[in-house]
């Protein structure tokens, strides 16, 4: 995927997920009327996932697995993890 193809969005059940990359991180950002949550991983894609309340917010917790990070992100939004849309380029996040 090239930078010109990013960011990538997916939406479902009132939640918008945006996947983008910075020079340092891969970011998966969820937004809904219930709030926001972000999952971040280093750009190389092998480090633990950091869950934050926003893309630039303070780290709340770290997880090895994508499922655990999604559980925490869903909790921040007040929804089931199954309700979170995942853009294709973010599907391989986690260790």
């Amino acid at each position: 995927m090239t930078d010109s193809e990013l960011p990538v969005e997916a939406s479902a059940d009132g939640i918008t997920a945006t996947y983008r990359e910075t020079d340092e991180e891969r970011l998966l950002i969820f937004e809904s009327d219930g709030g926001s949550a972000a999952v971040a991983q280093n750009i190389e894609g092998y480090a633990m996932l950091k869950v934050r309340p926003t893309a630039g917010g303070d780290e709340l917790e770290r997880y090895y697995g994508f499922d655990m990070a999604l559980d925490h992100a869903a909790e921040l939004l007040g929804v089931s993890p199954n309700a979170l849309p995942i853009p294709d380029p973010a599907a391989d996040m986690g260790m």
Side-chain angles (χ1 to χ4, degrees):
M1 178 161 289
T2 65
D3 287 341
S4 64
E5 296 171 326
L6 294 176
V8 176
E9 288 188 358
S11 296
D13 299 322
I15 302 168
T16 299
T18 304
Y19 174 82
R20 63 182 172 94
E21 296 176 359
T22 69
D23 290 340
E24 295 87 28
E25 293 183 313
R26 301 173 69 197
L27 289 166
L28 178 57
I29 304 155
F30 298 101
E31 297 177 301
S32 74
D33 289 341
S36 66
V39 177
Q41 185 176 38
N42 71 0
I43 195 67
E44 291 84 14
Y46 63 81
M48 293 179 77
L49 298 165
K50 301 170 217 161
V51 176
R52 303 173 181 149
T54 62
D58 291 335
E59 177 183 319
L60 299 172
E61 191 69 55
R62 287 186 184 211
Y63 299 97
Y64 285 107
F66 193 38
D67 289 344
M68 298 282 292
L70 292 178
D71 284 348
H72 192 165
E75 182 180 314
L76 291 172
L77 295 172
V79 300
S80 164
N82 295 330
L84 298 176
I86 308 298
D88 287 341
D92 67 345
M93 292 179 80
M95 298 183 70

